[in-house]
Amino acid sequence: MIAVVLLTAGRLTWLKLFESSGQPYAVDGVLDLQGWSDWENRTLSLDGEWRFYPNSLLAPGHGEDVDLSIHGSGIEVPGGWNTRLNPESRSPYGFGSYRLTIRVPPERDAIYSVYMPEVRNASRLYANGRLVAGSGVPAASEAAHVSDNRPYTGTFAPDEQGRIELIVQVANFTDSRNGGLVRTLKFGTAEAIASERQLSMAVQVFVAAALLIQAVFLLVFFVMERRRFWLFLALALIGFTVILLNSSEDKLLVQWFSLTLEWSYRLLCLSLVLLSYSLLQTVIDTIPPKLRPWMQWGYGLAALIGTAASLTVTVKNNQPLQYAVFILSTPITVLLLRRYIPRLGAKAFFGNPLQLLAYAAFMNHVLWWTLYESLGLKLLYYPFDLILGMLLLSSIWIRRYYALYTDQKALTARLEEMIRQKDAFLANTSHELRNPLHGMINMTEAVLARERARLEGRSRGELETVLRVGRRMAHMLNDLLDAARLRERMLELQLTSVALHPIVQGVMDMLRFMCEGKPVALVNRVAAELPNVYADEHRLIQILFNLLHNALKFTHQGEVGVTARIGQGRVVVLVSDTGIGMTPETQARVFEPYEQADRDDDREGGFGLGLSITRQLVELHGGSLRVHSAPGEGAEFVFELNLDASSEPRVQLLEEAHEQQAAAIAVGPAAPAEALASGQSEAADRPRILAVDDDAFNLRILRSILDDDAYDIVTVTSGAEALALVDAHAWDLVVTDVMMPLMSGYTLTRRIRERYAVSELPILLLTARSQPEDIEQGFLAGANDYVTKPVEPRELRARVQALTELKRSVRERLRMEAAWLQAQIEPHFLLNTLNSIAALQAIDPARMNELIVHFGDYLREKFKFQNVGELVSLHDELTLVRAYVYIEQTRFRERLQVEWDIDDDTEQLLLPPYSIQPLVENAIRHGVTQRRQGGTVRIVLKRLADVVAISVADDGVGMTAETVRRLLQPHPGGIGLRNVDLRLKRLYGAGLVIESAPAQGTAVSFRVGAGSLSFKKTFTFIEK
């Protein structure tokens, strides 16, 4: 009750503020305003007694020449003209004229306006004989008449006596309601009328926008909940908004979209149908279930008929259609009252007062609007009850959804905590179970290995079953741990350039045992020349392992294959099978954790984590995992990997590696007998290691880890080449990568074991995986040991040393005997020189001969240093240096320039052997040739008093201070800068002085006593 009183008080206050209180009214067609003073702040209504001329369209000025008592009579405005125009039939159809004389103060120099609201159904406004505004075309016949009743404003000035004569021509041949001036006309200054109109339209626009915002909220609720109530309530609000904008006194919708009168009425009827049907759907659940289908069907049909009728109705017939809609809406109104009136009681008030106030505000608006329409009152639009109702409903909905959100948030937090506890429990359980499980597996394997010959077949089978189940459980525990790490985002990828073909081949070799006993073929269709991908090799193996394992598990016959293609700058990998396939429902949940396909046979199960982990790993690589399948037609899993932008196509890498290997093998037989003998002596001194990897970069890393002074390493890039060398030479160890194209490391190991026993030729596998199944496959193939990539240098060295320990004493003795020679002559230098000689044979024989001469000088000076004293002449040292420089310049051409600055008569100077050449070699190898454009090495020998200053400088890449500091400290290797430094210190008390900075080059210098040598001249020359 209090709410109703307050809402009513608000309406009455609004009426008081905008009513024309104290104003005079028209009497006998005259409105005298000469005594009115409040012109600036108020507008006046032109209510009262006008003169009316039925069946006559007065021309301007005509009223002054007629007898008003005969031709015109008084008529109340606002009001209908039915009884005055057609006294007998009281028909609203016809035409006539209204006349009003307004007297304003003549001393006021002002412009006045009249606001004409709805006039049924065409009108023209004349002021002092001038047409100022109109809507439609009033005429004496229906044929000439044009209907249009949109509101308009006429602006004019009074005459010199302050007199304004208004004539309004009106005609109605279409609207069945009362005709004439049925609404209050507003009069005032032009500024006051314009201000009032702008305020009224702004308020209506604001209310319409608020209603539409509410409708949008409800549509959002519908999308979230899929509840029909929100959809139809939103449609009801939209219908109500259209009615508001189309039927209000300003008819904003008609003005905005220039709607004709006919389409204005059609839109009104359509909105009424939409509003009624939508409200019915909001209360349909209150109808008894037996009547509900009939109501749905009946009102659905009525809505269709009403929609069709609304689109074709004429202006004359629109009123019956509106009445029909209102009559059919009566049951809906009853249902609404039945649903919501009980909620207005004390319980509802105290339980939800906001809802009560919202209903009261909407009802108040509807009642007052009905009153205005019935009385024909024209007041400034009152929006506050609607705004209040919408704000209250919004607060109710917001509060409701906030409560739902809070509850959902609490439930989500509780669920997340439960999931976290579950994951922690599974992870902890997995950790706790791993050790005893692996102990069981190890004991079972030991019993099988020790007692296999004495066990009965049944007992062996049972133990093998226990072993197989244990390994399966270990795999499941690993999946649980991976899932936990992925969920906690603790898994980081180690991205490198990886060749896909050997990875696929290696995984297929691991899983080939699953094809035993059933006609299923594993087919690797990935091209060997496919460019490398940028991926974590270990995780890529896991991805392929899971997909292939899943495919083999559900494939009874046919094939499981892997293909790859390049698309949109990425490598698209397809894993397909000819298995049982999947239904669409299974495909929708196959990547969810702990989900498994429906099983109707005895296939082994699991936690259902494999594909979920696989998808997450693919997503970590920047791709996506998809599945295409149909029951009985197999399945195809597709994912993408990023291309390694820095890699060349795989075929080019293989071809280059094969060419290098072929050159290395070809050089051996063509070498001189002396070199061969030396090489055989070296091979006898050190363990001979055959390294096999399809990636030349990996082989270089292997060489850098396994010191060339400790091992004789030969590298090849394919299993076929390795088998050929195994047949042709004796080896102490084979180190092979597992994932290689054409022939995997597993296959190579099996082929070697066909010829050599485990003790005769040890094999060390390099694998990116350390899972039990991978290691088991390696040992089953015949490997002696394995190292996980990325390789830990200390671990690799230790394992290589352990596998070559049987011949350690012999290699050590031989190495000690030839250490000096081997330290002086590097196999790579010899090989590069021989390659250069072979290359020059066809293109520059003269230069080849010169190179052979310098190479001979180099070897002669090298061997001449054996078993000599501590000092040699500078001439011999420079002969070695010049031979070495010439060989390197032949190789690097314009990239290497050497400048000599040597004082004359110094070549008989004595100095430690092999003291300048290592400096020059270091400057060339680690300085200028590390730059793409090369650089210059400057060799300077200068006499300074009684010493000779020797300096080798380069403009190469330079070194940091830390590198310079470590350069002369003890480190693995043969004769080098440290050896030179130690010998100089022993002879002269001072060693090497090294100056260097990154990107600025390096200078290494030392001083030697000059004795009694004399220096007569200096010469400088440049060799290129």
Side-chain angles (χ1 to χ4, degrees):
M1 184 61 68
I2 296 175
V4 174
V5 171
L6 291 176
L7 290 171
T8 304
R11 277 282 181 174
L12 294 176
T13 303
W14 188 263
L15 284 173
K16 187 66 177 177
L17 287 174
F18 291 96
E19 72 172 352
S20 302
S21 60
Q23 72 157 69
Y25 293 94
V27 178
D28 195 21
V30 177
L31 177 60
D32 189 355
L33 298 176
Q34 291 186 346
W36 183 255
S37 59
D38 195 8
W39 290 100
E40 302 301 331
N41 302 320
R42 298 284 298 276
T43 61
L44 299 93
S45 64
L46 298 182
D47 294 349
E49 185 182 14
W50 289 49
R51 302 303 298 176
F52 179 62
Y53 303 88
N55 299 315
S56 175
L57 298 176
L58 294 181
H62 183 75
E64 299 294 335
D65 303 327
V66 297
D67 186 354
L68 299 181
S69 63
I70 298 176
H71 294 283
S73 60
I75 188 171
E76 285 296 323
V77 175
W81 68 9
N82 295 17
T83 58
R84 298 297 182 89
L85 186 64
N86 300 300
E88 297 180 357
S89 62
R90 297 190 176 186
S91 171
Y93 302 122
F95 60 96
S97 299
Y98 290 80
R99 182 172 177 271
L100 177 67
T101 300
I102 304 175
R103 293 189 177 97
V104 298
E107 64 274 10
R108 282 184 56 82
D109 185 15
I111 303 298
Y112 298 92
S113 294
V114 170
Y115 174 69
M116 301 288 293
E118 177 184 7
V119 179
R120 298 170 185 163
N121 233 7
S123 64
R124 283 180 178 171
L125 173 64
Y126 292 88
N128 292 336
R130 184 172 62 88
L131 177 65
V132 294
S135 177
V137 179
S141 64
E142 183 176 358
H145 165 269
V146 178
S147 298
D148 192 358
N149 67 350
R150 72 186 63 202
Y152 60 89
T153 300
T155 303
F156 42 80
D159 60 13
E160 296 178 354
Q161 291 77 32
R163 178 174 172 273
I164 302 173
E165 181 188 54
L166 299 180
I167 295 179
V168 183
Q169 298 179 352
V170 181
N172 176 32
F173 294 98
T174 55
D175 200 322
S176 60
R177 297 172 293 174
N178 280 339
L181 300 180
V182 296
R183 303 291 183 202
T184 295
L185 282 66
K186 285 288 188 175
F187 174 77
T189 61
E191 293 82 359
I193 292 293
S195 177
E196 186 175 287
R197 289 299 90 225
Q198 291 174 0
L199 177 60
S200 177
M201 288 188 291
V203 170
Q204 294 176 65
V205 170
F206 176 76
V207 172
L211 288 170
L212 290 177
I213 290 174
Q214 295 294 322
V216 171
F217 284 159
L218 294 172
L219 290 174
V220 171
F221 294 160
F222 168 71
V223 172
M224 293 170 57
E225 295 185 2
R226 294 298 175 182
R227 185 183 172 194
R228 297 173 68 251
F229 175 82
W230 300 123
L231 173 63
F232 286 107
L233 189 56
L235 293 177
L237 283 179
I238 293 173
F240 180 76
T241 305
V242 174
I243 294 172
L244 173 68
L245 295 176
N246 191 38
S247 302
S248 64
E249 57 196 34
D250 293 304
K251 297 185 180 296
L252 295 179
L253 209 61
V254 176
Q255 297 186 47
W256 289 343
F257 298 100
S258 301
L259 297 176
T260 64
L261 181 64
E262 189 171 58
W263 274 105
S264 174
Y265 279 116
R266 289 176 179 176
L267 188 59
L268 175 62
C269 294
L270 282 171
S271 302
L272 289 171
V273 171
L274 176 63
L275 177 62
S276 300
Y277 185 77
S278 298
L279 288 176
L280 171 66
Q281 296 302 318
T282 62
V283 295
I284 195 68
D285 58 331
T286 63
I287 301 174
K290 292 184 179 180
L291 297 178
R292 194 175 302 166
W294 295 98
M295 288 284 290
Q296 286 275 35
W297 183 86
Y299 272 92
L301 180 61
L304 290 175
I305 296 174
T307 302
S310 299
L311 293 174
T312 58
V313 70
T314 62
V315 178
K316 277 188 176 182
N317 299 326
N318 83 89
Q319 287 301 315
L321 179 59
Q322 293 184 36
Y323 294 148
V325 174
F326 286 133
I327 292 172
L328 289 174
S329 299
T330 303
I332 301 175
T333 306
V334 173
L335 291 172
L336 286 169
L337 295 176
R338 178 184 173 185
R339 177 167 186 165
Y340 293 109
I341 287 296
R343 303 185 182 184
L344 304 181
K347 182 178 179 181
F349 179 79
F350 291 107
N352 196 351
L354 296 181
Q355 187 171 348
L356 171 66
L357 293 176
Y359 294 153
F362 283 121
M363 190 171 294
N364 181 73
H365 182 85
V366 173
L367 292 176
W368 280 96
W369 180 72
T370 304
L371 180 63
Y372 286 174
E373 288 293 317
S374 61
L375 297 179
L377 295 177
K378 171 63 182 75
L379 291 174
L380 189 66
Y381 185 79
Y382 181 78
F384 299 108
D385 47 10
L386 267 182
I387 294 174
L388 177 61
M390 288 184 291
L391 289 176
L392 291 173
L393 284 181
S394 298
S395 65
I396 292 171
W397 293 334
I398 291 173
R399 187 174 66 176
R400 174 188 174 187
Y401 271 87
Y402 179 76
L404 290 175
Y405 169 75
T406 304
D407 294 342
Q408 185 179 19
K409 186 177 180 181
L411 289 173
T412 301
R414 183 180 176 188
L415 181 60
E416 288 177 348
E417 177 62 20
M418 294 176 65
I419 293 175
R420 189 192 65 78
Q421 292 178 2
K422 180 228 6 172
D423 293 338
F425 170 76
L426 290 175
N428 293 334
T429 303
S430 300
H431 280 293
E432 293 297 328
L433 289 177
R434 286 184 75 184
N435 288 336
L437 182 60
H438 280 286
M440 294 168 55
I441 294 173
N442 294 336
M443 291 180 65
T444 305
E445 288 179 337
V447 171
L448 271 175
R450 185 176 64 250
E451 307 292 341
R452 178 177 293 274
R454 289 183 286 180
L455 289 174
E456 296 181 358
R458 179 179 177 181
S459 299
R460 284 197 305 272
E462 291 173 349
L463 284 175
E464 289 172 351
T465 301
V466 171
L467 189 60
R468 185 169 60 252
V469 172
R471 289 169 178 164
R472 179 61 183 167
M473 290 181 64
H475 184 72
M476 292 163 58
L477 294 180
N478 290 332
D479 282 347
L480 281 173
L481 293 174
D482 280 344
R485 283 193 289 266
L486 285 168
R487 201 167 6 256
E488 298 296 329
R489 294 181 172 85
M490 296 173 58
L491 196 151
E492 296 183 0
L493 299 181
Q494 304 296 326
L495 298 176
T496 57
S497 181
V498 180
L500 184 61
H501 180 277
I503 296 291
V504 174
Q505 191 64 42
V507 173
M508 286 185 171
D509 285 342
M510 284 190 284
L511 293 172
R512 206 169 297 278
F513 72 94
M514 295 183 66
C515 300
E516 297 174 0
K518 59 181 180 179
V520 177
L522 280 170
V523 182
N524 181 5
R525 295 191 178 91
V526 178
E529 62 270 16
L530 188 76
N532 285 10
V533 296
Y534 196 59
D536 185 321
E537 183 176 355
H538 172 68
R539 297 302 173 180
L540 178 57
I541 293 173
Q542 186 175 359
I543 291 169
L544 292 169
F545 183 90
N546 287 343
L547 292 177
L548 288 170
H549 186 276
N550 184 78
L552 287 169
K553 186 166 62 173
F554 293 98
T555 301
H556 303 298
Q557 60 181 358
E559 71 172 33
V560 174
V562 180
T563 59
R565 65 174 185 271
I566 297 178
Q568 299 181 350
R570 310 185 79 187
V571 173
V572 181
V573 184
L574 300 90
V575 179
S576 58
D577 63 70
T578 58
I580 62 175
M582 288 181 282
T583 62
E585 294 77 14
T586 302
Q587 295 178 53
R589 56 186 174 86
V590 72
F591 296 118
E592 297 299 323
Y594 307 108
E595 287 287 344
Q596 301 182 61
D598 297 330
R599 297 190 300 272
D600 53 3
D601 54 24
D602 59 350
R603 284 187 299 270
E604 59 180 348
F607 286 133
L609 289 171
L611 291 179
S612 174
I613 292 172
T614 302
R615 183 183 66 173
Q616 295 179 73
L617 290 175
V618 170
E619 291 172 352
L620 282 177
H621 282 82
S624 62
L625 179 61
R626 305 173 300 280
V627 61
H628 309 289
S629 182
E633 298 181 7
E636 181 181 71
F637 289 85
V638 184
F639 65 95
E640 304 87 17
L641 295 170
N642 291 325
L643 278 169
D644 179 18
S646 63
S647 70
E648 300 179 58
R650 187 75 184 153
V651 64
Q652 297 179 10
L653 289 175
L654 291 174
E655 289 176 354
E656 292 177 2
H658 290 166
E659 290 175 1
Q660 294 174 2
Q661 181 63 29
I665 295 175
V667 165
E674 185 181 1
L676 279 177
S678 175
Q680 291 169 0
S681 176
E682 292 180 36
D685 292 341
R686 298 177 300 167
R688 294 178 54 82
I689 299 176
L690 177 62
V692 190
D693 197 315
D694 62 301
D695 193 329
F697 180 71
N698 289 340
L699 292 175
R700 287 197 296 271
I701 293 176
L702 187 64
R703 279 187 171 277
S704 66
I705 294 174
L706 300 177
D707 190 357
D708 285 346
D709 291 332
Y711 302 100
D712 184 13
I713 303 173
V714 175
T715 60
V716 293
T717 57
S718 70
E721 293 174 331
L723 288 175
L725 289 178
V726 166
D727 290 336
H729 303 281
W731 304 97
D732 297 296
L733 176 65
V734 174
V735 180
T736 178
D737 185 26
V738 170
M739 303 301 173
M740 295 189 297
L742 304 179
M743 183 185 298
S744 69
Y746 296 140
T747 303
L748 174 61
T749 302
R750 295 190 188 97
R751 297 284 295 275
I752 292 175
R753 285 292 165 255
E754 294 175 358
R755 310 170 196 182
Y756 297 96
V758 174
S759 60
E760 294 175 338
L761 179 55
I763 299 177
L764 175 64
L765 292 180
L766 301 180
T767 175
R769 298 251 298 176
S770 59
Q771 298 298 322
E773 59 269 19
D774 307 318
I775 299 170
E776 178 193 18
Q777 289 299 317
F779 285 123
L780 290 177
N784 296 73
D785 204 349
Y786 74 95
V787 174
T788 304
K789 295 193 299 185
V791 173
E792 172 60 38
R794 289 177 297 178
E795 179 186 7
L796 179 62
R797 294 191 194 101
R799 294 183 184 273
V800 169
Q801 182 180 3
L803 291 175
T804 57
E805 193 64 32
L806 292 177
K807 300 180 181 179
R808 176 67 180 176
S809 59
V810 177
R811 284 194 299 271
E812 182 67 18
R813 179 178 57 81
L814 296 176
R815 189 192 69 80
M816 291 295 292
E817 293 175 354
W820 181 264
L821 179 60
Q822 293 298 317
Q824 302 284 327
I825 304 176
E826 293 187 9
H828 284 299
F829 178 78
L830 295 176
L831 179 62
N832 291 331
T833 305
L834 294 175
N835 283 337
S836 299
I837 294 172
L840 290 173
Q841 180 181 5
I843 59 176
D844 193 345
R847 190 173 179 83
M848 179 196 70
N849 292 332
E850 190 174 1
L851 177 59
I852 291 174
V853 171
H854 282 81
F855 185 50
D857 293 340
Y858 177 84
L859 293 177
R860 184 167 51 256
E861 294 300 325
K862 280 280 189 176
F863 294 129
K864 189 164 59 175
F865 290 161
Q866 300 299 316
N867 302 319
V868 297
E870 289 188 333
L871 299 177
V872 297
S873 68
L874 179 62
H875 175 274
D876 293 337
E877 181 73 13
L878 291 180
T879 301
L880 175 65
V881 172
R882 290 191 178 101
Y884 175 80
V885 166
Y886 186 89
I887 294 171
E888 293 293 351
Q889 284 184 316
T890 302
R891 178 184 176 191
F892 294 105
R893 298 181 180 275
E894 66 275 0
R895 289 182 58 203
L896 175 60
Q897 295 185 0
V898 179
E899 295 182 3
W900 301 79
D901 187 357
I902 303 175
D903 286 347
D904 199 9
D905 298 334
T906 61
E907 294 198 1
Q908 297 303 317
L909 176 71
L910 297 180
L911 76 168
Y914 208 65
S915 55
I916 300 178
Q917 196 273 341
L919 307 185
V920 176
E921 181 177 347
N922 187 73
I924 294 174
R925 286 193 175 186
H926 305 294
V928 297
T929 58
Q930 296 301 312
R931 300 172 57 193
R932 178 174 298 179
Q933 68 273 25
T936 302
V937 176
R938 182 175 177 83
I939 304 171
V940 179
L941 281 81
K942 289 290 186 180
R943 178 176 179 180
L944 301 175
D946 58 346
V947 298
V948 175
I950 302 173
S951 171
V952 177
D954 65 80
D955 57 0
V957 295
M959 294 178 290
T960 63
E962 176 63 18
T963 304
V964 171
R965 185 185 66 81
R966 289 187 287 106
L967 200 59
L968 300 180
Q969 293 180 352
H971 64 278
I975 293 177
L977 296 184
R978 175 171 168 76
N979 182 275
V980 175
D981 180 68
L982 291 175
R983 288 186 289 136
L984 290 173
K985 287 179 179 179
R986 186 172 67 253
L987 291 174
Y988 304 109
L992 297 176
V993 177
I994 303 176
E995 299 175 350
S996 182
Q1000 296 183 11
T1002 303
V1004 182
S1005 62
F1006 63 93
R1007 295 188 176 189
V1008 177
S1012 59
L1013 290 177
S1014 61
F1015 298 83
K1016 299 179 179 178
K1017 61 179 180 178
T1018 301
F1019 64 91
T1020 301
F1021 64 95
I1022 300 176
E1023 281 191 17
K1024 296 185 179 179

